[in-house]
Amino acid sequence: MEVAEKRRELVLWIMVTVESLLFLCACCAEIPPRKVVWDGDCNPHIRLKRSEETVIIDNGLVEVTIENPSGHVMGIKYMGMDNVLECGNPNSNRGYWDIVWDDNAFDKMETKHVKVVAHTDDLVELSFTKKWHFTTDHGKAVPLNIDKRFVVQRGVPGLYMYGILERRHDFPEAQMYQLRIVFKLKEDKFGFMALSDTRQGIVPRGGDRDSSRSQTLAFKEAVLLTNPSNPQLKGEVDDKYQYSCENKDNKLHGWVSDDDAVGFWIITPSNEFRTGGPHKQDLTSHVGPIALSMFVSTHYTGIDIDVTYKKGEAWRKVFGPVLIYLNSASSDDDHRNTLWNDAKRQLSEEIERWPYNFTRSRDFPHAEERGEVCGQLLVRDRCLDEEPTQAQSAFVGLAAPGNAGSWQTEGKGYQFWAQTDNTGRFNIKNVRAGEYNLYAWVHGFIGDYKLDLNITIQPGNKINLGTLIYDPPRNGPTLWEIGIPDRTAAEFFVPEPHPAFVNTLCLDAADKFRQYGLWDRYSELYHHGDLVYTVGVSNYSRDWFFAHVPRNTGNGTNWSTTWQIKYNLQDVNEEGNYTLQLALAAASYAELQIRFNDREAVEPCFTTSRIGYDNAVARHGIHGLYRSYTIIIPGKRFHKGDNAIFLTQTRSHGSFDAVMYDYIRLEAPAG
Ligand SMILES: *[C@@H]1O[C@H](CO)[C@@H](O)[C@H](O)[C@H]1NC(C)=O
Ligand SMILES: *[C@@H]1O[C@H](CO)[C@@H](O)[C@H](O)[C@H]1NC(C)=O
Ligand SMILES: *[C@@H]1O[C@H](CO)[C@@H](O)[C@H](O)[C@H]1NC(C)=O
Ligand SMILES: *[C@@H]1O[C@H](CO)[C@@H](O)[C@H](O)[C@H]1NC(C)=O
Ligand SMILES: *[C@@H]1O[C@H](CO)[C@@H](O)[C@H](O)[C@H]1NC(C)=O
Ligand SMILES: *[C@@H]1O[C@H](CO)[C@@H](O)[C@H](O)[C@H]1NC(C)=O
């Protein structure tokens, strides 16, 4: 610890010295007229030029121009392209940080000061800062002290960006719903978008979404292209939420300019600074052409995610670094593939280098200042096996102390996740110092694991937790089950999209649920009556619709719907208690009521009450927030022979009031 501090001090001292040298260098360099003057003439590898309006960094591969002192990225010059960003936009609308706070107030996080924190043979790091002052900023600017960092390294065609945001204890209460970096690329150049190996393609131009060229569908984000500039896209749907991704997969996305055979990519080597854990979904790239680095949002969680900061609540967090990476290919080969594959290669390299050792902010700890937690997770489902079994491919993570599963809605701190191997072993590396709980969930088992111990990570320590055992909810042997406990509705029936509402970027089977309008297919398929599932006869991948939505009968009303599970019991233990294990994958403005055998019962046996804002149906997610319920039902409610369970989703104000199921299981009384 002490050694690390000393090293930091030394680094800081060197930084200050470098700055003074730079200053000298800039002074003497001002003398010769007309010649372009670079501070960095004292450094042939990376040149830096500062003027009243701009700061320019050039490493011979890219030239990055940042507005002084706002910290907006005005230009990125790369290969033959003078600016890969849209120079038709004002400086503040090309490459910028922004935040949405309180009542939809929007702040572009403009800064007031710029400082060169490092200029060496290997890199330049700039810091653009602003301090929040009550007298001038209250009610006008988000109550945050802002430090936006930009790093250009020798030999890397790109720009590393990170930000250090701070609330002091006397800052006013604020809700900070969304924080991101936005890039708006040159519109007439970047037309090919790539988000994954399967979701890639030519997408419409920004103007194609105008009302003269498209028709707005059920919400403003979704449009049907009626007269796009590229006629081949006519009749397709476009909606930025179709390009969403889970945090764990949201590592690389971006664009290709076919004319220049140039790629622009956002590379995110770690999720530690993202909120809501590995399965939280968020936006990536979308029509504009726009590329986003999302750090905080309420997407697919709604306001259940914790983004409220009270007065007196001091907070400081580092977002990033992320890498804005540029690459090029020769335009005669299969340049799109070449660029995508090269970007993937770069991603692996960045992951290898994580946590970066070049950043100069004290708030971003390097590897030796971080800790590690390992152990082995077993799962013991008493009705399957006497002995615990190894929890394979389970997600195990450290997040702020809270209840089991609270990481899903944790929106302020850092989270560190790993997956177990085939023997249930896990190793969570590069954990920042701090206090955490250890959480997990295991594919194939319901519920959430939490280790009842606060774990304090100190720099350099390695904690072996030994063998941990998860006892998932279980009261008795399985009578029947529907679905797979995997926190998504993906295994259920996901219909084909209506032929008039296809997006060709989502044609891969794994992306089927991202198509537009699938919710409406319920009303077509179940026009004459709601879904009925017969245990032993029905097959959940064909007969269980992926979302429990209202039914639109076309006469102007959305009807709340009641699904039925029919099953047969050969014996009933009237004295015992049965258990319904219910796991939901999503909920929006919903209430699920459950009745056993008596559909008309005034009082349901169980209700979830009003739950959820995750909007997963409208936003083409196959899950939102996970919830699980263990419902005890006395044996006298059951009949020998035929039985039915009625699942009523009572809310039907709009077609997106819905739940998605993850898994349902009926358990007999124990023993
Ligand atoms: C930083 O990391 C790189 C590779 O990730 C390594 O080559 C280099 O030696 C490291 N530098 C320091 C100062 O540790
Ligand atoms: C764990 O940390 C939480 C939050 O900091 C605290 O409320 C709780 O009392 C701690 N528990 C133990 C056992 O120390
Ligand atoms: C259920 O349906 C799916 C899709 O049609 C099929 O692949 C699967 O084999 C069926 N399962 C059973 C048990 O029939
Ligand atoms: C609308 O359709 C529902 C379901 O078919 C029906 O019960 C209801 O009477 C209809 N309402 C009107 C006003 O026609
Ligand atoms: C069944 O559950 C009720 C309510 O939880 C409880 O009072 C009762 O003792 C249970 N009966 C058995 C046989 O476990
Ligand atoms: C039914 O749902 C649609 C789509 O959300 C909505 O536009 C409409 O207002 C709803 N109708 C009623 C009567 O609630």
Side-chain angles (χ1 to χ4, degrees), residues 400-402 435-437 450 452-455:
E435 198 181 23
Y436 303 92
N437 277 156
K450 176 193 158 184
D452 214 3
L453 176 75
N454 286 351
I455 298 175

Side-chain angles (χ1 to χ4, degrees), residues 218 552 556-558 652-656:
N552 182 348
T557 321
N558 302 303
S652 58
H653 296 299
S655 35
F656 306 120

Side-chain angles (χ1 to χ4, degrees), residues 251-285:
K251 295 176 184 156
L252 168 67
H253 58 91
W255 295 84
V256 169
S257 162
D258 283 330
D259 291 350
D260 308 274
V262 159
F264 177 101
W265 310 100
I266 296 193
I267 290 180
T268 313
S270 166
N271 269 328
E272 64 180 41
F273 42 80
R274 286 198 178 126
T275 59
H279 308 292
K280 163 129 175 33
Q281 299 148 91
D282 225 315
L283 295 170
T284 56
S285 285

Side-chain angles (χ1 to χ4, degrees), residues 479 567-576 578 597 633-643 668-669:
L479 290 170
Y567 59 99
N568 188 281
L569 292 181
Q570 294 192 327
D571 295 300
V572 174
N573 176 350
E574 292 209 1
E575 311 303 311
Y578 288 69
N597 286 330
I633 321 114
K636 60 181 191 300
R637 297 253 180 196
F638 296 87
H639 309 315
K640 187 170 156 64
D642 289 339
N643 285 266

Side-chain angles (χ1 to χ4, degrees), residues 57 62 64 66 73 76 150-152 156-161 183 322-326:
I57 320 171
V62 281
V64 178
I66 304 167
V73 183
I76 300 177
F150 299 89
V151 181
V152 173
V156 179
L159 170 68
Y160 294 88
M161 290 173 71
F183 278 96
V322 297
L323 169 61
I324 311 310
Y325 176 67
L326 292 122

